[in-house]
């Protein structure tokens, strides 16, 4: 498809900012020719995007990046939603196993910001780029929301991202809207949500929300918020 022009993106975002989430999905699919995919972390509230997008495109590829360090409850949640929603799941991983990485590099998530960034690049960014390229993805649907972090507060509904279009149908939703959608469609939260986890990633770098913590501080001790999947910059391994 190629990257859309700035003028086109501005026009589309003006139109879609006041549209519903489903209208945003339908508009992008109707107006543009190309392959679409939905990426999901199967985190706390992921059932919303998984349900909503697959109601419009039942067989859309659903990309899961498996670091090998997800919670047992996450793998069980994946199985539950795959069965319930009949997901066309596409699982991608680093080409180097977790055990081999630890033998070669140690526990990089304990090695400060630079170690975390390299860990994320190897285990999340590279597998995601490979997935999007192999699936020839032109439109990437993502469940990001502005409420989740300061780094996401200014995100538009649609953005140009690494030569494709990245679409955030529920970008302006809040936790109340999420809760109402889950209840309406009888969809589950991630099992760890009920134990205080609001942002769920790897076992070694995810903590439940407590005290005066922000949501950002529940991941990687607050050292980094974005794992690199949603940042259009890369550095070498």
């Amino acid at each position: 498809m190629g990257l859309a022009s700035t003028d086109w993106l501005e026009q589309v975002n003006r139109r879609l900012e006041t549209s519903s989430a489903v209208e945003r999905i339908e508009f992008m699919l109707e107006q543009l020719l190309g392959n679409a995919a939905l990426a999901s972390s199967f985190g706390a509230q992921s059932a919303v995007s998984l349900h909503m997008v697959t109601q419009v495109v039942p067989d859309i590829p659903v990309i899961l990046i498996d670091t090998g360090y997800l919670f047992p409850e996450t793998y069980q949640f994946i199985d539950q939603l795959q069965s319930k929603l009949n997901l066309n799941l596409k699982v991608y991983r680093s080409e180097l196993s977790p055990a081999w990485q630890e033998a070669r590099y140690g526990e990089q998530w304990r090695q400060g910001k630079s170690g975390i960034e390299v860990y994320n690049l190897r285990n999340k960014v590279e597998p995601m780029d490979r997935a999007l390229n192999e699936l020839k993805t032109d439109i990437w649907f993502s469940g990001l929301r502005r409420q989740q972090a300061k780094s996401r507060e200014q995100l538009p509904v649609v953005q140009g991202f690494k030569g494709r279009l990245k679409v955030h149908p529920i970008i302006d939703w809040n936790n109340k809207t999420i809760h109402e959608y889950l209840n309406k469609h009888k969809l589950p939260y991630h099992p760890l949500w009920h134990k205080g986890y609001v942002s769920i990633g790897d076992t070694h770098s995810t903590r439940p929300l407590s005290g005066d913590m922000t949501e950002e501080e529940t991941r990687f001790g607050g050292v980094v918020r974005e794992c690199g999947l949603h940042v259009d910059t890369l550095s070498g391994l």
Side-chain angles (χ1 to χ4, degrees), residues 42 60-64 78-79 82 86-91:
F42 287 83
I60 190 171
V62 176
I63 301 170
L64 165 68
I78 294 165
D79 287 341
Q82 184 176 17
N86 193 29
L87 302 176
N88 180 17
L89 193 63
K90 306 292 184 181
V91 183

Side-chain angles (χ1 to χ4, degrees), residues 46-110:
S46 291
V48 170
S49 290
L50 288 164
H51 177 269
M52 184 180 296
V53 176
T54 57
Q55 291 301 296
V56 180
V57 193
D59 62 345
I60 190 171
V62 176
I63 301 170
L64 165 68
I65 304 303
D66 177 19
T67 63
Y69 293 102
L70 303 181
F71 286 89
E73 291 90 342
T74 299
Y75 291 111
Q76 292 163 3
F77 190 50
I78 294 165
D79 287 341
Q80 178 187 5
L81 290 179
Q82 184 176 17
S83 176
K84 182 178 180 66
L85 301 176
N86 193 29
L87 302 176
N88 180 17
L89 193 63
K90 306 292 184 181
V91 183
Y92 281 78
R93 304 176 177 89
S94 169
E95 295 179 343
L96 201 60
S97 73
W100 205 337
Q101 288 183 48
E102 287 190 41
R104 185 175 292 180
Y105 308 112
E107 298 180 340
Q108 290 191 294
W109 58 87
R110 300 184 187 276

